[in-house]
Amino acid sequence: MSVLNDPFIDRLERARSGAKRLATATTASKDAALEAIAVGIEQAIPGIVAANAEDLRRGRENGLDAGLLDRLLLDETRLRGLAAAVREVIALPDPVGQVVRGSTLANGIRISQVRVPFGVIGAIYEARPNVTVDIAALSLKSGNGVVLRGGSAAESSNAVLVDVIQRAVTSVGLDGDAVQTIDEFGREGASRLMRARGYVDVLIPRGSAGLISTVVQESTVPVIETGAGIVHVFVDASADEEMAAAIVRNAKTHRPSVCNAAETLLVHRDAAERLLPRLAADLIAAGVTLNGDEAARGFSEEILPAGEAEWSTEHLALVMGVRVVDSLDEALAHIERYSTRHTESIVTQDYANAERFLAEVDSAAVMVNASTRFTDGGEFGFGAEVGISTQKLHARGPMGLPELTSTKWLVRGSGQIR
Amino acid sequence: MSVLNDPFIDRLERARSGAKRLATATTASKDAALEAIAVGIEQAIPGIVAANAEDLRRGRENGLDAGLLDRLLLDETRLRGLAAAVREVIALPDPVGQVVRGSTLANGIRISQVRVPFGVIGAIYEARPNVTVDIAALSLKSGNGVVLRGGSAAESSNAVLVDVIQRAVTSVGLDGDAVQTIDEFGREGASRLMRARGYVDVLIPRGSAGLISTVVQESTVPVIETGAGIVHVFVDASADEEMAAAIVRNAKTHRPSVCNAAETLLVHRDAAERLLPRLAADLIAAGVTLNGDEAARGFSEEILPAGEAEWSTEHLALVMGVRVVDSLDEALAHIERYSTRHTESIVTQDYANAERFLAEVDSAAVMVNASTRFTDGGEFGFGAEVGISTQKLHARGPMGLPELTSTKWLVRGSGQIR
């Protein structure tokens, strides 16, 4: 099939052309589009729920487990929540046009670096139709078109949602084509999206470590990794007992299924006798299964033996590894070896150790005396949850709307030459 | 061969371990290393010239053309220039540790985003031993280790230069292993470097469009593209004659071999009769071969016919395409289609057209009434020439030392939990 008649390429070209109009749209018109999307979702609840029922039925037939079916489910409450989330994006500042820096050169040329949209964002995620709306809203506000690949499990829900979004965007005089879904092109569509240089400016995978790894390996389009979190809490020799207990419990149990939840507890040998029995008892009382090394198990009979795989496992559940280390150096070496560079926290009263930990741990967020759960765009005051980048290029840590933009240099002269 | 005995992996691990020490080194010690490198190069001139002679002899045997042999050549003058360039890097501000932003959250947690080195930079370039020194100096100053793949044509020169650099870094108490060459691993080494996730944090290719395209296609390590420039100058209907003549001539002829030199001249139909004969005559007098569309050729008999390939060719030589367009819209459409998104400039007296051009052209640098030659780190006041990024992720346009860093969030609490 020639490129001219290729329906997949046609989809990408529509996104590109819709994005071009969006790139120079005013904040007021983009906000109007978002409000129209929120209203559109509320008005289309019966239709969306019906389409979602098809996905759920197919999911049950295909033997999806209860957790996946729950992630797939859209009911009236969740849809009203989604509409509310879209309205929250309206309240965020528009990053487009922000001047990052600028100066006047000696020859009188004025240069300024301003934020501009990427162009078209590709989003690859799995069976979460709410992400369709989230990513579309964040892309629109930042002036970007978006090509959505939400996976076949949510295909019917995504189709209706994208239709609602396209109509809403068009209704305010912008180009609804800026938002596209490629679910019906299946796995081949996902593969082609990863190689769609020239059509898509950046790919953002959201989902399992396996999905993200596939995208990173296969993609020729630049990728922003929003990665897995093997997150460590290190309880230093001088740690305060109550503070350590509160931080460890919160980091592990507050919301165990998310990437900033702690997976491994490291305890300094000099604090183990004083603190480990209490920390272990608290965690176990909160329903956590502990897998520990031999030294840790010496302080609590309820800690199960840990295999080597424990230290590189992201449980995302009420399971935690526990290890006793001889020193700050040993803790740093363990983190260096096993961390996914998301978030690590030290609990300590020792100033020098706190500063060494902050300086030497190479993670997106490095904390002293705080729960790892604070690595979050909302907590950091960014107001939107684009994801948490675990890569070092472009964005690292919680991403706000500015991280969905690039910049360009505007150069205003009066005839200067070199 | 097992990973443990793999000399290639050993090289990467040395770079990584050397980089770790460098990441927390003081500016003073990094500057001392740079001064030691400059002195080391000056003292090793006879040895470097001898090694370079081997490369030149092999190059001649392999039939390298005069241009490539000239790029390969290192003589005493060039080596003293290289040492001086290293000393210029000493004068640049150290980006590591700079606080990008920070705040105190409502709960009392203090967050700050600080610049940190990437870790290890991979550099892939072709037959230019001076790049070995440039990239090593910039990497060291920004706290990064670096793995250099400079190509087999410059293998002997690069080996001596890297030895000089390693000794110099070690002599001031840092770890010389932070700088590594993998030239002797040949093409397979380059391929492995592109897939060395976990060892290398970012790859920067410098060289031909073909080299950059290969790296982008094959690499699983994030890449910063420093790309080709199909750069346009658009002479609008209202352009001032002298200004247009000066800018067009400067953009094309000041240094035709570099990426910010103009390749295509677009002239508004309403200005063509007034300006094109003069512009064409000036360019031809300066030795430029002009290839034009039919309309352009109607204004000057000396313009040769242009094929369709003209508009997508980066000549990097005294050759230029000329096209007459009916409107600003047609100019924007031509640029949208053929530009490599490096730099474009409009020459105009019309305020609205200037602002539309600035807003709608999607390039790293967009100019009004200035020569495209100003897209340059030195001209922008960055002081160092890391390259000019033509991608939208992480860095766009001229890159300074800060673009060789990532950031991390430091989070200082006093026991906060969610």
Side-chain angles (χ1 to χ4, degrees):
Chain A
M1 191 179 282
S2 90
V3 167
L4 288 173
N5 301 317
D6 184 330
F8 181 82
I9 295 293
D10 178 65
R11 212 60 70 88
L12 300 185
E13 281 179 343
R14 280 169 187 271
R16 184 126 217 111
S17 128
K20 200 168 153 54
R21 178 109 157 256
L22 210 54
T24 53
T26 61
T27 306
S29 64
K30 292 185 288 187
D31 287 347
L34 292 170
E35 177 58 28
I37 290 171
V39 171
I41 289 171
E42 288 165 343
Q43 290 177 345
I45 286 175
I48 300 168
V49 168
N52 187 247
E54 286 175 37
D55 287 332
L56 290 168
R57 183 180 47 72
R58 219 175 40 245
R60 274 184 224 101
E61 284 170 15
N62 294 338
L64 290 194
D65 69 32
L68 287 173
L69 287 170
D70 181 63
R71 281 167 48 179
L72 199 51
L73 175 74
L74 292 176
D75 56 19
E76 178 167 349
T77 310
R78 288 191 180 182
L79 286 166
R80 291 203 183 275
L82 264 182
V86 171
R87 291 197 174 95
E88 279 173 25
V89 175
I90 296 175
L92 296 177
D94 185 345
V96 175
Q98 285 177 356
V99 179
V100 178
R101 53 181 163 160
S103 62
T104 301
L105 307 184
N107 57 18
I109 284 180
R110 285 169 298 128
I111 64 173
S112 56
Q113 185 183 30
V114 299
R115 290 205 180 280
V116 295
F118 277 127
V120 176
I121 294 172
I124 300 187
Y125 50 100
E126 285 165 331
R128 298 191 91 141
N130 60 311
V131 173
T132 302
V133 177
D134 277 348
I135 293 271
L138 294 164
S139 299
L140 287 172
K141 180 80 182 209
S142 53
N144 291 292
V146 64
V147 178
L148 301 155
R149 148 73 190 182
S152 53
E155 188 175 334
S156 303
S157 313
N158 288 340
V160 176
L161 288 169
V162 168
D163 185 60
V164 166
I165 293 167
Q166 288 177 333
R167 283 170 195 275
V169 172
T170 302
S171 76
V172 302
L174 292 172
D175 187 345
D177 273 351
V179 180
Q180 296 291 337
T181 170
I182 55 160
D183 282 345
E184 75 262 42
F185 297 97
R187 283 183 183 278
E188 197 212 332
S191 285
R192 292 185 71 182
L193 184 63
M194 294 182 214
R195 307 204 144 253
R197 285 180 72 82
Y199 294 104
V200 176
D201 297 286
V202 58
L203 269 184
I204 304 183
R206 274 178 66 168
S208 67
L211 171 80
I212 291 163
S213 162
T214 300
V215 173
V216 166
Q217 294 291 327
E218 289 193 16
S219 184
T220 57
V221 175
V223 175
I224 299 181
E225 270 181 82
T226 58
I230 296 182
V231 165
H232 297 76
V233 177
F234 170 50
V235 175
D236 196 12
S238 63
D240 174 79
E241 179 177 341
E242 294 307 319
M243 191 190 287
I247 287 174
V248 170
R249 191 173 51 234
N250 187 260
K252 180 70 244 181
T253 69
H254 182 253
R255 202 172 162 200
S257 65
V258 294
C259 59
N260 61 17
E263 299 291 355
T264 302
L265 171 62
L266 303 173
V267 180
H268 195 291
R269 186 170 297 277
D270 295 347
E273 190 168 355
R274 177 170 66 92
L275 298 178
L276 225 177
R278 157 81 186 275
L279 298 177
D282 275 14
L283 288 165
I284 289 164
V288 178
T289 300
L290 294 178
N291 302 319
D293 68 351
E294 213 171 308
R297 298 184 68 216
F299 295 100
S300 165
E301 291 181 351
E302 294 181 279
I303 299 178
L304 306 172
E308 172 61 24
E310 175 62 36
W311 318 116
S312 41
T313 302
E314 186 185 23
H315 296 291
L316 297 173
L318 290 173
V319 182
M320 191 175 210
V322 192
R323 188 171 168 188
V324 173
V325 294
D326 288 339
S327 61
L328 173 58
D329 283 306
E330 201 178 312
L332 292 171
H334 180 101
I335 290 168
E336 168 82 10
R337 177 153 178 204
Y338 295 106
S339 168
T340 54
R341 319 247 178 269
H342 186 296
T343 300
E344 334 294 337
S345 185
I346 184 175
V347 185
T348 191
Q349 301 298 320
D350 185 299
Y351 176 79
N353 285 1
E355 292 299 314
R356 252 198 86 192
F357 194 84
L358 289 170
E360 294 187 23
V361 173
D362 180 27
S363 297
V366 191
M367 303 185 168
V368 178
N369 296 342
S371 169
T372 57
R373 290 277 294 127
F374 285 108
T375 304
D376 177 274
E379 294 292 325
F380 275 21
F382 302 164
E385 187 56 46
V386 179
I388 295 173
S389 165
T390 51
Q391 71 178 32
K392 293 184 180 175
L393 216 60
H394 184 73
R396 196 176 190 203
M399 291 192 289
L401 280 180
E403 279 70 37
L404 291 185
T405 64
S406 181
T407 58
K408 71 179 180 188
W409 287 95
L410 304 182
V411 178
R412 291 177 166 95
S414 48
Q416 286 85 349
I417 58 170
R418 281 179 74 180
Chain B
M1 192 179 281
S2 91
V3 168
L4 289 173
N5 301 317
D6 184 329
F8 181 82
I9 296 292
D10 178 64
R11 211 61 69 90
L12 300 185
E13 281 178 343
R14 280 169 188 270
R16 183 129 218 109
S17 130
K20 201 168 153 53
R21 176 112 157 256
L22 210 54
T24 53
T26 61
T27 305
S29 64
K30 292 186 289 188
D31 287 346
L34 292 170
E35 177 59 29
I37 290 171
V39 171
I41 289 171
E42 289 165 343
Q43 290 177 344
I45 286 175
I48 300 169
V49 168
N52 186 248
E54 285 175 36
D55 287 332
L56 289 169
R57 184 180 45 74
R58 218 174 39 247
R60 273 185 226 104
E61 284 169 17
N62 294 336
L64 290 194
D65 70 33
L68 287 173
L69 287 171
D70 181 62
R71 281 165 50 178
L72 198 51
L73 175 74
L74 292 177
D75 55 20
E76 178 167 349
T77 309
R78 288 189 180 182
L79 286 167
R80 293 205 182 273
L82 265 181
V86 172
R87 290 197 174 96
E88 279 172 26
V89 175
I90 296 175
L92 297 177
D94 186 346
V96 175
Q98 284 177 355
V99 179
V100 178
R101 51 181 166 162
S103 61
T104 302
L105 306 183
N107 58 17
I109 285 180
R110 286 171 295 130
I111 65 174
S112 56
Q113 185 182 29
V114 298
R115 289 205 181 281
V116 294
F118 277 127
V120 176
I121 295 171
I124 300 187
Y125 50 100
E126 285 165 331
R128 297 189 92 139
N130 59 312
V131 173
T132 301
V133 177
D134 277 347
I135 294 271
L138 294 164
S139 298
L140 287 171
K141 180 80 183 210
S142 54
N144 291 291
V146 63
V147 178
L148 300 156
R149 149 74 189 177
S152 53
E155 189 175 334
S156 303
S157 312
N158 288 339
V160 176
L161 288 168
V162 168
D163 185 59
V164 166
I165 294 166
Q166 289 178 333
R167 284 169 195 274
V169 172
T170 302
S171 76
V172 301
L174 292 171
D175 186 346
D177 273 352
V179 180
Q180 295 290 338
T181 171
I182 55 160
D183 281 344
E184 75 261 43
F185 297 98
R187 283 183 183 277
E188 197 212 332
S191 285
R192 293 184 73 183
L193 183 64
M194 294 183 213
R195 307 205 143 254
R197 285 179 72 82
Y199 294 104
V200 176
D201 296 286
V202 58
L203 268 185
I204 304 182
R206 274 179 67 168
S208 67
L211 170 82
I212 291 164
S213 163
T214 300
V215 173
V216 166
Q217 294 291 327
E218 288 192 17
S219 183
T220 58
V221 175
V223 175
I224 299 181
E225 270 180 80
T226 56
I230 296 182
V231 165
H232 298 76
V233 177
F234 171 49
V235 175
D236 197 11
S238 64
D240 174 79
E241 179 178 340
E242 292 309 318
M243 191 190 287
I247 287 175
V248 170
R249 191 173 50 233
N250 187 259
K252 179 69 242 180
T253 68
H254 182 254
R255 202 174 161 198
S257 64
V258 294
C259 59
N260 61 17
E263 299 291 357
T264 302
L265 171 63
L266 302 174
V267 180
H268 195 293
R269 186 169 297 278
D270 296 347
E273 192 170 351
R274 178 170 65 92
L275 298 178
L276 226 177
R278 156 83 188 274
L279 297 177
D282 274 14
L283 288 166
I284 288 165
V288 178
T289 300
L290 294 178
N291 301 320
D293 68 352
E294 214 171 308
R297 298 185 68 215
F299 295 100
S300 164
E301 290 181 351
E302 293 182 279
I303 300 178
L304 306 173
E308 173 61 24
E310 174 63 36
W311 319 117
S312 42
T313 301
E314 188 186 22
H315 295 291
L316 298 173
L318 290 174
V319 182
M320 191 175 210
V322 192
R323 189 171 167 187
V324 172
V325 293
D326 287 340
S327 61
L328 173 58
D329 283 306
E330 201 179 312
L332 292 171
H334 180 101
I335 290 168
E336 168 82 9
R337 178 153 179 207
Y338 295 106
S339 168
T340 54
R341 318 246 179 272
H342 186 299
T343 300
E344 332 295 338
S345 184
I346 185 175
V347 184
T348 191
Q349 300 298 321
D350 185 300
Y351 175 79
N353 284 1
E355 290 300 313
R356 252 197 88 192
F357 194 84
L358 288 170
E360 295 187 23
V361 172
D362 180 25
S363 296
V366 191
M367 303 185 167
V368 177
N369 295 343
S371 168
T372 58
R373 289 278 295 129
F374 285 108
T375 303
D376 176 276
E379 294 292 325
F380 276 21
F382 301 165
E385 186 58 47
V386 179
I388 294 173
S389 165
T390 51
Q391 71 177 33
K392 293 184 179 176
L393 216 61
H394 185 73
R396 197 175 191 204
M399 291 194 287
L401 279 179
E403 280 69 37
L404 290 185
T405 63
S406 182
T407 58
K408 72 180 180 187
W409 287 95
L410 303 182
V411 178
R412 292 178 165 95
S414 49
Q416 286 85 347
I417 59 170
R418 282 179 72 180

